[in-house]
C-alpha cells in the first residue's frame, strides 16, 4: 500500500494530472486532520465512494436521509479516493463535508476516526480499505457495504484468499446487487447478507423524472418555427461518454446513412480530444457552445462540449450508444435505458451487471466491430419502440434497492 502511494507521488512530480490532483487533495485531508476542529460536533454518517459512479449509488440513500424528517439532522460526510469523483462532487450541497479519504495507513485511519467519530460508515460497491475497516471494527462502529457485487475470480474466493476474507468479516452487514454475490459470500461463511439490488436504478429513474429541456438540442433535431418542440422525422442517435474507437464507428455509420443525425457527448472534452473528434468527423459538426439556429440547420452532428447535460440529452434520441466498451469497460447504460431506448455498447461489458441484464432482455446490443455495429444500429433504429419498451421493463423490475437498504439502516 505504501508503495502504491509512493508511485502516485512520483507520478505527480512527473506531471500526471490526476496524480497531482490526488496528491494535493491528500495534503488538504492531512491538514484538516491536524486542525483542532476538523469536523463540527454532531452525529456523522460517513459515506465513502471510490469515484463518481459509486457516489451515484450512495446518493439515493443520502437524499432519502435529507428528505426524512426523523433523520435529516444527521451530519453527512462524503469521501472519495478518485480525483474525478472529488472534483465533480466537491460542492455537493446535501453533504456537510466532502473530502478525499486520507491514504489508508493505520495512522491516518486512527486520526480520521478520532476526529470524525462517526455513528455509521457506509462503503459503496468495491471499497475495502484494510486500515479503515480494522479501526471501525475495533471501535464497534456499524459498517456497511451497499450495492456490493462479487465475482468468483475475486481474491476473497480463492484458496489463498484468507487475508482478504477477513476484511469482509469487519462489515456489520453487506447489501449486494444479485443472488450470485450473496451465494458467494454465504459460501465463505457470511450470513449477514441481503440481496437489495442496485441503488443506481432508483437514481436514474429520479434523474429521468427531473430531466430538463435543452432548446439547442431541440432545434438541432427538429427546427421549429413556432417554438413548440415536436419529435423529429429524422432518426437521432445519442452517443454518450464516447472515446476515439466509438467515434470512428459512429462517423463511418453516418457516412453510410445520410438520413441519420447524431448527438455526440465525448467522455473527455479537453481540446486535445475535441481535436481528434474534429479529424474523425472531418469538421462536419457544430459544438454545443458555438451553436446558433443558423449553423445547426446545416449539420447532422452536434458535439456536446460541456458537462452535465448527458442524462437529459438521452430523451431526445431513438437509440443510444454508450462508449468505453472498446477500452476498460462501458459507461452508464442505465441513463438511456430509463428513457426507453435500445442501447448499443462495445465488447467489454461482462463485468457490468446492468449491461448484461439489458443484453439478456434484448434491449442491450453488444458490438465488436463495424459490421456488428452497423447491423445492430440498423436493427435498433428500425425497432426502437419495441426494444425500448424492453429497456423500460428491465429498469422497472430492478427498482427498490434504496428503500430496502434505508429501512434496514435507519429503522
Amino acid at each position: 500500500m505504501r508503495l502504491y502511494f509512493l508511485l502516485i507521488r512520483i507520478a505527480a512530480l512527473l506531471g500526471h494530472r490526476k496524480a497531482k490532483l490526488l496528491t494535493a487533495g491528500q495534503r488538504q485531508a492531512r491538514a484538516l486532520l491536524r486542525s483542532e476542529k476538523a469536523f463540527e460536533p454532531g452525529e456523522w454518517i460517513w459515506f465513502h465512494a471510490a469515484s463518481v459512479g459509486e457516489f451515484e449509488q450512495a446518493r439515493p440513500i443520502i437524499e432519502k436521509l435529507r428528505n426524512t424528517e426523523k433523520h435529516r439532522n444527521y451530519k453527512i460526510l462524503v469521501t472519495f479516493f478518485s480525483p474525478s469523483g472529488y472534483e465533480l462532487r466537491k460542492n455537493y450541497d446535501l453533504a456537510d463535508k466532502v473530502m478525499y479519504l486520507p491514504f489508508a495507513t493505520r495512522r491516518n485511519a486512527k486520526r480520521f476516526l478520532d476526529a470524525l467519530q462517526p455513528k455509521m460508515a457506509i462503503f459503496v460497491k468495491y471499497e475495502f480499505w484494510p486500515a479503515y475497516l480494522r479501526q471501525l471494527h475495533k471501535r464497534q462502529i456499524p459498517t456497511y457495504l451497499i450495492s456490493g457485487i462479487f465475482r468468483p475470480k475475486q481474491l476473497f474466493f480463492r484458496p489463498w484468499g484468507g487475508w482478504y476474507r477477513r476484511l469482509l468479516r469487519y462489515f456489520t452487514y453487506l447489501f449486494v446487487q444479485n443472488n450470485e454475490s450473496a451465494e458467494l459470500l454465504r459460501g465463505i461463511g457470511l450470513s449477514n447478507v441481503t440481496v437489495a439490488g442496485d441503488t443506481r436504478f432508483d437514481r436514474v429513474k429520479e434523474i429521468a423524472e427531473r430531466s430538463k429541456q435543452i432548446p439547442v438540442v431541440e432545434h438541432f433535431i427538429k427546427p421549429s418555427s413556432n417554438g413548440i418542440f415536436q419529435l423529429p422525422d429524422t432518426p437521432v442517435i445519442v452517443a454518450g461518454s464516447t472515446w476515439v474507437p466509438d467515434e470512428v464507428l459512429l462517423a463511418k455509420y453516418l457516412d453510410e446513412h445520410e438520413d441519420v443525425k447524431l448527438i455526440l457527448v465525448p467522455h473527455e472534452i479537453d481540446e486535445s480530444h475535441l481535436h481528434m473528434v474534429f479529424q474523425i468527423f472531418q469538421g462536419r459538426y457544430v459544438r454545443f457552445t458555438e451553436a446558433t439556429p443558423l449553423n445547426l440547420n446545416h449539420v447532422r452532428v452536434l458535439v456536446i462540449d460541456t458537462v452535465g447535460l448527458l442524462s437529459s440529452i438521452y430523451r431526445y434520441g431513438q437509440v443510444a450508444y454508450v462508449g468505453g466498451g472498446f477500452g476498460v469497460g462501458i459507461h452508464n447504460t442505465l441513463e438511456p435505458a430509463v428513457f426507453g431506448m435500445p442501447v448499443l455498447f462495445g465488447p467489454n461489458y461482462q463485468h457490468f451487471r446492468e449491461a448484461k441484464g439489458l443484453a439478456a432482455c434484448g434491449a442491450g446490443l453488444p458490438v465488436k466491430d463495424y459490421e456488428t455495429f452497423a447491423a445492430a444500429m440498423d436493427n435498433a433504429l428500425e425497432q426502437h419502440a419495441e426494444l425500448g419498451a424492453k429497456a423500460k421493463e428491465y429498469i422497472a423490475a430492478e427498482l427498490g434497492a434504496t428503500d430496502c437498504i434505508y429501512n434496514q439502516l435507519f429503522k
Side-chain angles (χ1 to χ4, degrees):
M1 189 68 72
R2 292 183 183 276
L3 176 61
Y4 176 70
F5 298 150
L6 176 62
L7 292 173
I8 289 176
R9 294 189 181 101
I10 292 171
L13 291 172
L14 294 174
H16 189 279
R17 186 180 70 86
K18 287 189 176 180
K20 288 172 69 175
L21 287 170
L22 181 55
T23 302
Q26 286 296 319
R27 283 197 297 268
Q28 293 173 5
R30 289 195 300 272
L32 177 67
L33 295 186
R34 286 194 295 268
S35 65
E36 291 184 5
K37 294 183 179 180
F39 303 100
E40 296 177 6
E43 289 189 301
W44 285 88
I45 307 295
W46 169 30
F47 291 84
H48 176 66
S51 190
V52 68
E54 290 78 13
F55 169 75
E56 291 300 311
Q57 292 173 297
R59 191 166 177 167
I61 306 295
I62 295 171
E63 294 186 354
K64 195 170 180 68
L65 270 171
R66 284 292 186 239
N67 292 325
T68 303
E69 185 174 356
K70 181 180 178 182
H71 299 134
R72 66 178 51 156
N73 290 328
Y74 285 131
K75 292 191 174 297
I76 293 174
L77 169 69
V78 175
T79 60
F80 289 99
F81 179 75
S82 161
S84 58
Y86 175 79
E87 291 299 323
L88 282 171
R89 295 292 180 260
K90 61 186 176 183
N91 297 317
Y92 179 54
D93 58 357
L94 295 189
D96 294 279
K97 188 177 287 293
V98 180
M99 62 181 285
Y100 281 93
L101 180 70
F103 280 152
T105 64
R106 183 170 61 178
R107 183 180 184 184
N108 281 346
K110 286 182 176 180
R111 282 183 171 180
F112 177 80
L113 292 174
D114 284 345
L116 181 64
Q117 298 185 22
K119 178 182 177 66
M120 179 187 302
I122 300 172
F123 292 75
V124 185
K125 195 174 183 178
Y126 290 135
E127 290 298 275
F128 309 105
W129 293 106
Y132 284 100
L133 290 174
R134 289 194 196 100
Q135 281 296 315
L136 288 163
H137 181 71
K138 183 177 180 180
R139 297 167 189 237
Q140 298 183 321
I141 297 170
T143 304
Y144 303 94
L145 182 73
I146 65 169
S147 292
I149 191 160
F150 295 88
R151 302 180 182 90
K153 292 184 179 181
Q154 288 174 305
L155 290 170
F156 306 112
F157 312 110
R158 298 300 181 100
W160 56 86
W163 185 86
Y164 296 94
R165 287 192 284 275
R166 283 195 293 274
L167 296 179
L168 297 179
R169 291 183 171 85
Y170 292 141
F171 285 99
T172 307
Y173 214 87
L174 301 102
F175 297 93
V176 297
Q177 295 186 26
N178 57 15
N179 289 320
E180 180 187 23
S181 296
E183 290 305 312
L184 285 168
L185 293 173
R186 289 167 184 150
I188 58 173
L190 293 173
S191 58
N192 54 334
V193 180
T194 288
V195 179
D198 187 349
T199 53
R200 281 182 305 165
F201 288 86
D202 302 320
R203 175 66 184 152
V204 295
K205 181 175 183 291
E206 181 184 349
I207 290 172
E209 290 169 349
R210 296 180 181 179
S211 64
K212 53 192 175 184
Q213 290 182 286
I214 307 174
V216 168
V217 174
E218 293 181 357
H219 186 89
F220 167 69
I221 62 177
K222 187 164 186 178
S224 172
S225 58
N226 59 9
I228 300 173
F229 174 68
Q230 295 178 320
L231 290 175
D233 302 318
T234 302
V236 177
I237 301 167
V238 178
S241 302
T242 59
W243 298 86
V244 168
D246 309 305
E247 291 149 6
V248 169
L249 295 179
L250 291 157
K252 185 175 181 180
Y253 189 82
L254 256 67
D255 284 342
E256 297 178 358
H257 298 77
E258 295 183 356
D259 62 333
V260 175
K261 287 187 174 183
L262 170 67
I263 303 172
L264 184 75
V265 189
H267 186 71
E268 300 284 353
I269 57 170
D270 57 86
E271 287 302 319
S272 62
H273 185 80
L274 290 174
H275 178 67
M276 293 293 295
V277 172
F278 182 89
Q279 293 181 314
I280 292 166
F281 287 91
Q282 300 176 352
R284 295 175 296 183
Y285 64 78
V286 169
R287 287 169 61 156
F288 181 84
T289 56
E290 299 172 353
T292 67
L294 181 61
N295 62 21
L296 285 173
N297 290 341
H298 301 287
V299 294
R300 293 192 294 126
V301 181
L302 174 63
V303 175
I304 309 300
D305 57 349
T306 187
V307 299
L309 298 180
L310 178 57
S311 60
S312 292
I313 287 175
Y314 278 125
R315 67 198 288 258
Y316 293 109
Q318 283 82 49
V319 175
Y321 178 88
V322 174
F326 288 92
V328 296
I330 57 173
H331 296 287
N332 193 335
T333 55
L334 296 181
E335 285 186 343
V338 75
F339 285 106
M341 302 174 72
V343 186
L344 279 68
F345 42 82
N348 297 332
Y349 72 95
Q350 292 300 328
H351 288 172
F352 297 84
R353 171 179 169 261
E354 64 280 7
K356 291 169 64 177
L358 286 168
C361 75
L365 305 172
V367 303
K368 62 180 180 179
D369 51 29
Y370 181 72
E371 287 70 27
T372 56
F373 171 87
M377 185 62 75
D378 288 345
N379 179 47
L381 287 170
E382 184 179 344
Q383 301 189 62
H384 67 88
E386 297 88 340
L387 299 180
K390 293 180 180 180
K392 275 196 167 184
E393 290 172 4
Y394 172 67
I395 296 288
E398 294 284 343
L399 298 174
T402 300
D403 287 342
C404 177
I405 295 168
Y406 189 90
N407 291 339
Q408 292 197 54
L409 294 188
F410 303 99
K411 295 178 180 177

